[in-house]
Amino acid sequence: MWSKAIGIDLGTTNSCAGIWKNGKVEIIPNDHGNRTTPSYVAFSRAGRAIGENARNQIFMNPSNTIYNIKRLIGRQFMDPEVQSDVKYWPFQVINKNGRPYIQVEYRGKIKQLSPVEILSMLLCKIKESAEIFLEESVRNVVIAGGPYFNYSQRQAIKEAAMIARLNVHQIFTGSEAAAVAYNFYNRVSKERNILVFDFGGGTLDISILAVEEGLLEVKATASNAHLGGEDFDKRIVNHFVFEFKRKFKKDLTTDKRALCRLRTACERAKCALSSHTQAFIEIDYLFEEIDFYTSLTRDKFVEINMALFRRIIKPVERALRDAKIDKSHIHEVVLVGGSTHIPEVQKIISKFFNGKELDKSINPDEAIAYGAALYAASLSGDCSEQLQDTLLIRVLPRSLCVEIGDGVMKSIIKRNSSIPKRKYKILSTDSDNASYLVLKVYEGERTRTKDNGLIYEFQLTGIPCAPRGVSWIEVCYDVDSRGNLYVCVTVLVSAVDKTHGRANKITIVEDDRYDRLLKEEFEQMLLNAEEYNAEDKKIPEKERARNRFERYLDNLRETLQDAVTWFNDNQDAESEEYECKREDTIKKISCEAEEFDD
Ligand code: AMP
């Protein structure tokens, strides 16, 4: 059991944190009093800003305002998803030893920051808000959000948390968290199949769960990692860029700041269209001093985005297929994530489920944080009666495979298998008299290893020399209930009796992942984080000093003005009066100086 833990919905666009307190989940407000915090970090000459302060200055400083960082976490620079994303971001992503880094200007200097560092800044901010709210230090977290993270991504999140001085108990999906929240608030007594439709800023994640009396069993998951609210925004932006070109014969895409302002206005219009049939866009001096006033109807919004709307059912169908459940057997469809506010989205889902009424019992913007907080409380050993009967049985999001030098994936544990799970496979060597072989652990569904994610690779020695196919190895994958993978490989001496004569045994765990940060690099990030935090602390100190000096100058000005006025009004005073006033003025000024020194 651990000490008190908070639950964090780590969103691509917004993040939200909750804690189980006084018999209920409380959403933790940030320093602006808001219940969600934009997942934005900005750098400037003045310092660093996180959350609302970062998002609000994006027009002035687009190339140093970082968002969508979750999309870069644990990925390689050449990853096609990274390559497709970088085209749309106003900040610069560079290739550093194969990994994406963000280049910013901070206090007049060029800095290159890893996604892990940026994420740690966000987590640090959430931690600070939680500590103020709870009036105690916070060390433990459960993180939910987005789809199933792969091993590299999970490790990167853990590293970011470590830099923020947080210990991650568990990382789970947004859908799982939402299902925990749904189950908690609806108290499902007889078995029901629920489908969680989690549609946020960047991704669409579907989970199908069987729920009964506090037991939640994930049956299948599916997602589209490149479909979310931002894709709608991009299409609206393109629509208005075209309209601007048509009206004014000018291409505003050459101006980053103008594009940024247009994107923000388009997102606002999109949100307004969830409750109104028409939204207005009014931007003064958008480009070359041209004011841009226009409007968008809900019908036009749907038309512009029709191709995207058509894609939302595909992952639903895939999940149903994997779960081997007909759509008529889905009892409840739970909506989660900002983009589920869109009426067209609701219409399409409801229609797919034959006109079914969709469940909106939990706030779609906070559901994940609620579930994460509930899970955090139960993992921390909170004894509250309400928490006693929630057990989540999870599934493996991707198949776990092995490759021994031939480029072909050999599946060991299949996708969507419930975990914990242990599976063995016996493989024969593929070359003559090899005394060693390289064994690679992959995750993914494709047949060629090059198309899947490499988790780990190691060399296995001590294989008795024998012709190809005569030596055998036994591979055992063991995944625990938290999703950790343990791999055990045994060289078998005899092909005839494969269960005896074990000659070699190696065990690896998830933490030994392949592209783990180098230790020195990680230590450096810890140092950097301390430096940034110290710089941030300097800002209020600097402001305090500036205010004190300003107050002193104000007082001084007032005293002097007072003396000058008296002097002008008393051109004919007695010498004692002048002396008296002079001494009085000097005394006042020195008192003010003393006050200033305090
Ligand atoms: P999330 O990742 O769940 O915070 O969702 C963020 C996405 O939801 C962003 O793309 C928002 O623009 C979008 N969003 C939030 N509220 C609404 C709304 N009322 N109507 C349409 N989209 C919304």
Side-chain angles (χ1 to χ4, degrees), residues 524-535:
Q524 187 57 48
M525 285 185 190
L526 276 176
L527 288 177
N528 290 350
E530 270 159 26
E531 217 174 277
Y532 286 118
N533 289 339
E535 286 289 343

Side-chain angles (χ1 to χ4, degrees), residues 270-538:
K270 173 192 72 177
C271 294
L273 288 174
S274 293
S275 46
H276 299 84
T277 51
Q278 190 172 20
F280 297 92
I281 286 180
E282 295 176 353
I283 315 172
D284 291 337
Y285 297 106
L286 176 60
F287 183 70
E288 294 185 0
E289 307 206 340
I290 301 170
D291 299 335
F292 188 47
Y293 296 165
T294 187
S295 67
L296 184 67
T297 62
R298 191 184 283 177
D299 287 347
K300 188 72 194 172
F301 165 70
V302 171
E303 185 194 317
I304 294 170
N305 288 293
M306 194 35 91
L308 298 178
F309 287 127
R310 282 206 195 98
R311 285 187 214 157
I312 67 175
I313 290 301
K314 264 220 171 102
V316 176
E317 289 174 330
R318 206 162 54 237
L320 285 166
R321 223 169 26 241
D322 283 357
K324 299 186 180 63
I325 292 177
D326 185 80
K327 63 181 174 182
S328 61
H329 291 121
I330 293 292
H331 301 102
E332 218 62 76
V333 177
V334 180
L335 299 182
V336 180
S339 296
T340 59
H341 290 286
I342 299 173
E344 184 66 15
V345 170
Q346 297 178 8
K347 194 171 113 189
I348 292 171
I349 308 167
S350 173
K351 188 168 164 213
F352 177 77
F353 286 100
N354 305 321
K356 189 174 196 55
E357 198 172 318
L358 310 173
D359 184 273
K360 297 175 192 163
S361 61
I362 41 177
N363 179 344
D365 301 321
E366 294 173 357
I368 296 175
Y370 266 89
L374 287 166
Y375 215 63
S378 81
L379 280 180
S380 315
D382 190 295
C383 297
S384 308
E385 202 185 319
Q386 303 106 297
L387 293 174
Q388 291 318 302
D389 54 358
T390 293
L391 182 64
L392 179 65
I393 298 176
R394 313 176 68 201
V395 294
L396 203 64
R398 294 180 192 82
S399 300
L400 286 170
C401 310
V402 67
E403 186 239 329
I404 52 168
D406 54 1
V408 178
M409 293 272 276
K410 292 168 187 74
S411 170
I412 308 265
I413 306 182
K414 288 223 177 319
R415 184 166 82 97
N416 280 329
S417 301
S418 60
I419 55 175
K421 176 91 54 209
R422 178 180 297 162
K423 281 254 177 140
Y424 295 88
K425 196 166 199 114
I426 293 179
L427 306 166
S428 74
T429 50
D430 70 336
S431 54
D432 292 335
N433 298 319
S435 60
Y436 75 92
L437 65 86
V438 175
L439 189 138
K440 295 179 185 171
V441 178
Y442 283 90
E443 61 178 356
E445 312 310 316
R446 308 280 294 274
T447 47
R448 308 295 304 178
T449 50
K450 68 180 175 49
D451 301 318
N452 294 293
L454 179 63
I455 298 174
Y456 195 79
E457 103 176 48
F458 61 92
Q459 215 180 62
L460 192 69
T461 54
I463 299 175
C465 285
R468 146 194 354 205
V470 172
S471 290
W472 296 80
I473 57 165
E474 179 194 73
V475 181
C476 169
Y477 280 13
D478 195 351
V479 181
D480 69 15
S481 57
R482 299 175 69 188
N484 291 321
L485 165 68
Y486 302 85
V487 178
C488 179
V489 184
T490 310
V491 176
L492 305 173
V493 174
S494 158
V496 182
D497 183 358
K498 294 186 185 109
T499 54
H500 298 291
R502 292 170 185 225
N504 201 337
K505 192 168 176 175
I506 294 167
T507 305
I508 61 159
V509 296
E510 183 198 344
D511 282 352
D512 296 327
R513 85 187 170 96
Y514 178 69
D515 80 346
R516 186 180 198 175
L517 284 177
L518 296 174
K519 197 168 179 333
E520 314 88 80
E521 197 180 345
F522 182 69
E523 294 294 333
Q524 187 57 48
M525 285 185 190
L526 276 176
L527 288 177
N528 290 350
E530 270 159 26
E531 217 174 277
Y532 286 118
N533 289 339
E535 286 289 343
D536 282 359
K537 285 206 179 88
K538 266 191 212 161

Side-chain angles (χ1 to χ4, degrees), residues 85-142:
D85 280 336
V86 293
K87 283 189 243 145
Y88 291 96
W89 291 330
F91 50 88
Q92 198 185 349
V93 181
I94 57 162
N95 184 351
K96 199 169 169 184
N97 303 326
R99 292 207 294 254
Y101 269 63
I102 295 106
Q103 183 158 302
V104 292
E105 203 183 324
Y106 172 63
R107 294 183 181 280
K109 285 195 191 128
I110 297 295
K111 291 259 178 195
Q112 293 171 350
L113 296 150
S114 75
V116 165
E117 278 179 291
I118 304 273
L119 190 64
S120 76
M121 293 174 187
L122 274 172
L123 289 172
C124 206
K125 178 87 182 166
I126 295 170
K127 176 180 189 262
E128 274 170 23
S129 297
E131 289 179 340
I132 291 168
F133 181 71
L134 295 170
E135 295 177 349
E136 61 181 271
S137 70
V138 169
R139 295 288 293 170
N140 299 315
V141 286
V142 161

Side-chain angles (χ1 to χ4, degrees), residues 547-563 585 588-589 591-593 595-596:
N547 291 346
R548 257 191 325 156
F549 189 37
E550 199 174 23
R551 214 173 52 239
Y552 170 66
L553 291 176
D554 282 348
N555 290 349
L556 203 60
R557 197 180 299 122
E558 210 175 288
T559 308
L560 283 175
Q561 248 165 20
D562 182 44
T585 307
K588 266 193 184 161
I589 289 174
C591 277
E592 272 146 16
E595 189 196 318
F596 178 68

